[in-house]
Each structure stands twice: as structure tokens, then as C-alpha cells.
Amino acid sequence: MRRSALGLMCALSFGPLGAAAAAPQQDPWTGAYRLEWLEGTRAAKEGAQGSDVTIRRAPDADPASLVKKYQSDLVRWTLADPANARESTTLRRFLAREYEGWGWAGLHGDGRIECLDASHIFVCKTAPGTTITFGPEGPKRETLTAQTGVFGIVLHAGAFQLKKLEKE
């Protein structure tokens, strides 16, 4: 009887650890953000104002509807303006060659950058304050300091920063 009670007490004492391990992990992308265009971008020059956006985990993609190169990772997210959630953009993780194309293969390999893509827009996470370079070596090479740690680029509009909002 004594051993049974001792065994039960031990089992119960590990219960909270088991519950924590079984709890779903918080998605690092999901949340409400404030989008601010970076100074000097086309969007900022044209007077575009910052806006609130949300990133949410979406249902996984159907592999049958994807070209072969995208079938290896079916996880998806949506990016939307909370005031008009019907118009959302579906995001997928960058492929390894996309990191290489931007010159970020080393950053990604070290676990220092993770990006989502929707062909006309991409969003990346890195450590706040990280300086990111774009383009070939030389005088036209551009840099961006990811002040908040979350930045992105919209085709023909320019770069932006996302600041995570406390409440969704």
C-alpha cells in the first residue's frame, strides 16, 4: 500500500510537466501587428499610412493543388487587415533557395531569420536590431535594420516593419 501511494504521488507530481509538454506550442507568427512603411520607400513617398494587420495560422495547403516544389511544406498563414479580413493573403515558408537568392542562407542556416512568402509580399523574423543586406556586393547594396525584428517587403511599394501589438 505504501509503495502504491508513493507511486501515485510521484505520478501526480509530474502531471503539470506532462500537461505543459502536451499543450500546443504557440505559433510564433500569429498575432496582431502595426505595419509601418520605412522612410524612403515608394509607399511612404506616396503618403501611405501605417495600418494594423493580423497574421493567423491557416489550414494546411492541399498538396494536389501545389506545384511539386511547394509540396514539401504545407503549413500556411494568412495576412489580413482586421477591418477587411475577407481580403487576405496566404503566406508560406520560404524555400531554401529563396534564402540563397536574398543572400540570407547563412542567417537561415544559423536559425537567425525565418521568412514567409506570398510572391508579391514577404515577411521575415529576426532578432530586433539585426542589419539585413539586400542585393549584390557594391555601391547599390541596400541595408535595413530590423528594429522590431519583424520586417517585410511589398513588390513595388517597399519595405516595412511590423510591431507586435499587445492585444489582438
Side-chain angles (χ1 to χ4, degrees):
M1 176 80 167
R2 214 180 224 175
R3 285 186 186 188
S4 299
L6 183 59
L8 181 60
M9 286 176 45
C10 285
L12 291 175
S13 70
F14 289 115
L17 294 176
Q25 187 178 14
Q26 176 67 14
D27 174 44
W29 290 99
T30 295
Y33 299 85
R34 178 75 184 163
L35 183 149
E36 293 291 338
W37 294 101
L38 295 182
E39 188 176 322
T41 61
R42 183 177 189 177
K45 288 176 184 176
E46 292 176 357
Q49 299 296 308
S51 61
D52 290 347
V53 297
T54 58
I55 297 178
R56 299 247 186 270
R57 180 74 167 75
D60 288 353
D62 174 10
S65 68
L66 301 173
V67 294
K68 187 171 178 111
K69 69 180 179 180
Y70 297 126
Q71 292 176 353
S72 64
D73 187 351
L74 304 178
V75 179
R76 299 293 185 265
W77 291 264
T78 57
L79 174 72
D81 175 345
N84 191 5
R86 287 182 188 225
E87 290 186 30
S88 65
T89 299
T90 301
L91 301 164
R92 61 161 181 81
R93 288 187 191 119
F94 260 33
L95 301 173
R97 68 180 177 81
E98 290 169 306
Y99 290 105
E100 291 169 10
W102 286 96
W104 303 336
L107 287 172
H108 180 65
D110 294 343
R112 295 185 294 146
I113 195 167
E114 194 68 37
C115 299
L116 302 178
D117 179 63
S119 71
H120 70 286
I121 181 175
F122 68 81
V123 181
C124 299
K125 280 188 179 235
T126 189
T130 300
T131 298
I132 305 295
T133 57
F134 302 86
E137 293 288 337
K140 293 191 177 198
R141 187 170 196 137
E142 296 182 53
T143 62
L144 172 148
T145 299
Q147 296 169 350
T148 65
V150 185
F151 70 94
I153 296 179
V154 176
L155 187 64
H156 304 301
F160 59 86
Q161 302 258 5
L162 291 179
K163 180 180 180 185
K164 188 124 186 197
L165 300 174
E166 295 298 318
K167 295 184 179 183
E168 289 187 53

